[in-house]
Amino acid sequence: MTPMKEDYLKIIFELGGTKNKISNKQIALSLNVAAGSVTEMVSKLVKEGLASHTPYAGISLTDEGIELAEQLVRRHRLWEVFLFGKLKYKLADVHDDAEILEHTTSDRLMDHLDRFLDYPTHCPHGGVIPSADGRYEEDSHTVLADIADGQSVVVERFIDNHDLLTYLDDLKLKIGEELTIIEHTPFEGPVKIRLHKTKQEINVSFKAAHYIFVK
């Protein structure tokens, strides 16, 4: 399987494609690829029995696709924990090197890495890490953009995207942050939020608000 195909399985998993239908647009934005490329790759995944596609509804993973995605996500996120926690990488920089390492790692090395890291359940950007036998708690798939004005939430995770993580680092928005939605500005403008800890009010871009998951 090509690294690109693996990336598609991982992002569909990350966006909630184990239970929900994910749109081509969501995948394209998350992977920074053209819509036509998504259509082509989704067709390949469907033919291989790894995904199902319902026109005008979206894409989800089959049981086989979920099992493979879980393995890929486990490898990738364990390396992210190592790079961030042990080698002190910046959060926005862990993805690319984790991507290289996951493709060259044996099952035995992954098991040793997992034990060395004391069996982490989540990666640095909040994503769940499946155990060796496939056990994990399902992530939240509620995004900041869908929360009503006046409601308070806790930031649970971010999509693993370098540009997004760099942007959120500049905003000083972190996993576990409690915040209140002040306003969704019109015409796809930013979402204005207030951080509980510092009382600071900040604007989160419309696009970024769709890739910040909250509970």
Side-chain angles (χ1 to χ4, degrees):
M1 176 172 290
T2 65
M4 181 57 71
K5 195 173 293 184
E6 292 178 354
D7 287 345
Y8 273 79
L9 288 174
K10 286 185 295 184
I11 202 63
I12 295 170
F13 176 93
E14 190 167 0
L15 290 169
T18 58
K19 298 183 181 299
N20 305 316
K21 291 289 186 181
I22 308 304
S23 71
N24 282 28
K25 183 178 180 180
Q26 285 177 285
I27 297 172
L29 289 173
S30 298
L31 293 178
N32 293 323
V33 296
S37 299
V38 176
T39 301
E40 183 180 345
M41 182 59 76
V42 166
S43 296
K44 292 179 181 178
L45 294 175
V46 170
K47 287 180 181 178
E48 294 176 20
L50 300 174
S52 62
H53 179 235
T54 304
Y56 308 108
I59 304 107
S60 60
L61 297 175
T62 62
D63 289 344
E64 185 180 351
I66 291 172
E67 184 177 351
L68 183 52
E70 288 170 350
Q71 296 170 13
L72 295 169
V73 165
R74 176 173 181 262
R75 288 171 177 267
H76 185 85
R77 292 180 176 173
L78 282 174
W79 279 120
E80 288 189 327
V81 172
F82 177 79
L83 294 171
F84 181 76
K86 303 300 180 181
L87 299 188
K88 307 306 177 185
Y89 272 54
K90 289 183 65 175
L91 180 57
D93 295 335
V94 298
H95 174 81
D96 288 348
D97 284 349
E99 187 82 3
I100 294 169
L101 289 163
E102 73 173 90
H103 293 130
T104 59
T105 305
S106 67
D107 290 340
R108 181 173 63 178
L109 177 53
M110 289 315 304
D111 290 340
H112 279 269
L113 181 63
D114 197 10
R115 184 164 64 249
F116 173 73
L117 296 170
D118 197 23
Y119 305 102
T121 58
H122 291 80
C123 72
H125 55 84
V128 70
I129 301 176
S131 65
D133 58 1
R135 288 181 291 108
Y136 59 95
E137 292 186 11
E138 190 73 24
D139 281 328
S140 167
H141 298 300
T142 302
V143 296
L144 183 67
D146 291 342
I147 303 299
D149 292 353
Q151 197 168 344
S152 296
V153 293
V154 177
V155 177
E156 184 176 64
R157 65 187 178 96
F158 307 131
I159 285 289
D160 190 4
N161 175 283
H162 180 272
D163 291 341
L164 173 69
L165 295 173
T166 300
Y167 170 74
L168 296 176
D169 185 54
D170 290 340
L171 290 182
K172 308 300 182 189
L173 187 62
K174 302 182 184 304
I175 302 297
E177 195 89 59
E178 297 181 32
L179 57 89
T180 297
I181 310 298
I182 299 174
E183 179 190 14
H184 290 69
T185 54
F187 299 105
E188 298 188 354
V191 179
K192 184 179 291 186
I193 64 174
R194 180 185 297 111
L195 306 180
H196 288 192
K197 188 175 181 179
T198 63
K199 310 302 181 185
Q200 180 185 8
E201 294 185 4
I202 59 176
N203 291 322
V204 178
S205 75
F206 179 80
K207 180 178 177 180
H210 285 81
Y211 297 102
I212 300 171
F213 294 88
V214 298
K215 59 181 178 180

